[in-house]
Amino acid sequence: MNDTTGPGQSWLLRLVIAFAFAQGAVSMARPAVSYRALALGADERAIGVITGVYALLPLFAAVPLGRRTDHGRCAPLLPLGVVLIAGGCALSGRAGSLTAMAAWSGVMGLGHLCFVIGAQSIIARQSAPAEQDRNFGHFTIGASLGQLIGPIAAGYLISERDGAMGRTSALALMVSAAVAAVSFTSLWRIEHRTAPARRGRTPAAKVPVGRILRARGVPAGIFVSLAVLSATDILTAYLPVVGEHRGIAPATVGLLLSLRAAATIACRLVMTPLLRVLGRAGLLASTCLLAGLLCAAIALPVPVPVLALMLAVLGFCLGAGQPLSMTTVVQAAPAAARSTALALRLTGNRLGQVATPAAAGLVAGVAGAAAPFVMLGALLIVAAGLGARGRDGRAPRRSGAPEPDPAVPGGGPARAGLNRNPT
């Protein structure tokens, strides 16, 4: 790419690095927020409210942010997201009341939403159709790295000894703010600048949300994303409970969860050859189906080595759903509303993060701690059926057809060179 205003050849790598630090900060801060709230006298209900605010507040901002990004630049959302994440972390560490903790948790969630919408929109805009699965897969490696390292770092810093939890959890939150700030070092010239002539054009009319949701493939992509994210969240929350019932040591449970995260990263590293063999619909359907069966099987009292093998395969299967659902939504949505479609996908994720734990809690209370995994298995099997009906995704656009540019009213052709392989 010879354009001096372009993002250079390394934009995707720098975006992945920035997201790894931002996601690591959030993954480190969320357990630290719970420990900090406990030190301030919170009970289980208060912890649930504080956790819920993180997911609920962004629900009201997702679609407006997507609308803005559809007709403007994506890059400004990245530093804004980092500022909100770092500020939410730091101010949570200084908070002296549970109300303030809930408010700053919501700010942190809003920052994460801003970063993710901006980053996913950049990838959708700057990747050729045939490259989107691969590039979204690489992007989500950053999330997996953050989710792998963040909780471990939080656990290392937080101590309950001698009543130190209030102080050590505050320290963990301040450190997470510093980790988020490191993202700034990778955010230079990420986005390809729009030609000046295009900035003066009249913005296209907004595509109604109903039309976006009726586009074939969008509802399926949203549901697959919700199911996979819910499985990951519930697995993280309830595997320690299952381990407690079966006499599995907490250190072993931590290793099992880390094994799951590492297998997810492995899946995203080899996604391109898998797509060549199975296509997007085949890979989505097969991984969701196998993940559903394995989730349900966790309810069985299997030995720890067998459980480790199951979690490794489960983690590998769960690695495909998120990046492939991003591509499914982007390619199915109207060209002028791709960022809004991605925002609707994130809205579904947030709703799942609120509703699924509540449902899992009810199921666990009635049928035992392992029962939520059966519920998740059913959810993933439904997602497999929807994924099988999606577009295959193996064949790129016909040769010579330019990729529509979401920044251009009506989705006009992108500037020459924009969709060449950026890495």
Side-chain angles (χ1 to χ4, degrees), residues 126-154:
Q126 295 182 179
S127 304
E131 298 168 353
Q132 286 176 347
D133 285 317
R134 182 202 64 188
N135 289 356
F136 278 126
H138 289 172
F139 173 70
T140 53
I141 289 174
S144 297
L145 288 172
Q147 291 166 355
L148 178 64
I149 296 170
I152 296 173

Side-chain angles (χ1 to χ4, degrees), residues 30 50-60 105-106 109 349-351 353-354:
R30 294 196 70 189
I50 292 171
T51 303
V53 171
Y54 173 89
L56 281 174
L57 186 59
L59 287 177
F60 302 99
S105 179
N349 285 353
R350 291 292 192 263
L351 285 172
Q353 285 181 304
V354 174

Side-chain angles (χ1 to χ4, degrees), residues 326-390:
M326 293 177 199
T327 309
T328 299
V329 168
V330 163
Q331 296 190 357
R338 289 176 176 174
S339 294
T340 304
L342 286 169
L344 288 170
R345 175 186 165 278
L346 291 170
T347 300
N349 285 353
R350 291 292 192 263
L351 285 172
Q353 285 181 304
V354 174
T356 308
L362 290 174
V363 171
V366 173
F373 294 106
V374 178
M375 180 191 75
L376 287 174
L379 193 68
L380 286 164
I381 289 171
V382 173
L386 292 174
R389 297 171 58 188

Side-chain angles (χ1 to χ4, degrees), residues 11 15-17 38 62 71 93 109 138 170 198 200 240 317 334 351 374 383 391:
W11 66 271
L15 190 58
V16 171
I17 291 171
L38 288 171
H71 302 291
H138 289 172
R198 288 183 179 165
C317 292
L351 285 172
V374 178
R391 299 179 182 180

Side-chain angles (χ1 to χ4, degrees), residues 2 49 73 129-130 140 149 203 210 246-247 255 280 295 344 347-348 351 361:
N2 298 321
V49 170
R73 295 184 61 211
T140 53
I149 296 170
R246 298 180 186 174
L255 288 174
R280 187 183 309 119
C295 260
L344 288 170
T347 300
L351 285 172

Side-chain angles (χ1 to χ4, degrees), residues 218-301:
V218 170
I222 291 173
F223 187 86
V224 168
S225 179
L226 183 154
V228 170
L229 182 64
S230 297
T232 303
D233 280 1
I234 299 303
L235 185 65
T236 302
Y238 277 87
L239 192 62
V241 181
V242 171
E244 185 69 19
H245 282 281
R246 298 180 186 174
I248 303 173
T252 304
V253 171
L255 288 174
L256 291 172
L257 290 173
S258 296
L259 178 64
R260 194 282 308 165
T264 296
I265 295 173
C267 173
R268 289 164 181 173
L269 288 171
V270 299
M271 189 172 295
T272 299
L274 290 175
L275 283 166
R276 290 197 194 104
V277 175
L278 298 173
R280 187 183 309 119
L283 185 56
L284 264 179
S286 58
T287 53
C288 285
L289 177 61
L290 184 54
L293 296 174
L294 288 169
C295 260
I298 291 175
L300 302 175

